[in-house]
Amino acid sequence: MVWMALVMAGLCEMMGVYMISKYNKTKTIKNLGLLIFAFTLSFAGLAYAMETLPMGTAYAIWTGIGAAGGALLGMLFFNESKDWRRMVCIVLVLGAAIMLKLLS
């Protein structure tokens, strides 16, 4: 259950990063509300996971999901470069997060 909460927190982190970019383009109360909501859920899920998991592992996985997801969202929705080297780096980040889970 804790791992599910951590993954959900990472996905909320991705949504929060997406909403930052969206809010910068269109400053509406809806976008601001979704931004705050996403980060609130993200931090709450991380805090819950850290009650059981080691801080370093939980934070690294949460950050990895957010960073890799943010890069993918940028490629999909904001016309950022889809260069193969960027894709390799995303795979490395996700691979490192998976290895941390397997080792903890």
Side-chain angles (χ1 to χ4, degrees):
M1 185 68 176
V2 173
W3 286 104
M4 290 290 282
L6 185 58
V7 169
M8 291 304 294
L11 295 174
C12 288
E13 178 78 6
M14 285 174 51
M15 182 181 165
V17 170
Y18 174 80
M19 291 311 300
I20 288 173
S21 189
K22 195 163 178 169
Y23 181 73
N24 281 332
K25 291 182 180 193
T26 311
K27 291 188 176 11
T28 65
I29 194 73
K30 176 186 168 193
N31 287 346
L32 180 61
L34 288 172
L35 185 154
I36 292 168
F37 179 71
F39 279 121
T40 299
L41 286 180
S42 178
F43 285 117
L46 176 63
Y48 172 73
M50 287 175 59
E51 289 176 3
T52 304
L53 300 174
M55 184 267 310
T57 301
Y59 183 72
I61 290 173
W62 177 75
T63 303
I65 293 169
L72 288 172
L73 289 175
M75 290 178 199
L76 292 173
F77 297 109
F78 300 105
N79 204 29
E80 292 181 6
S81 170
K82 295 173 182 73
D83 185 74
W84 68 271
R85 291 171 288 201
R86 291 188 81 201
M87 299 301 258
V88 168
C89 291
I90 291 170
V91 169
L92 289 172
V93 168
L94 291 176
I98 291 168
M99 287 305 296
L100 276 171
K101 187 222 181 290
L102 294 175
L103 294 173
S104 62

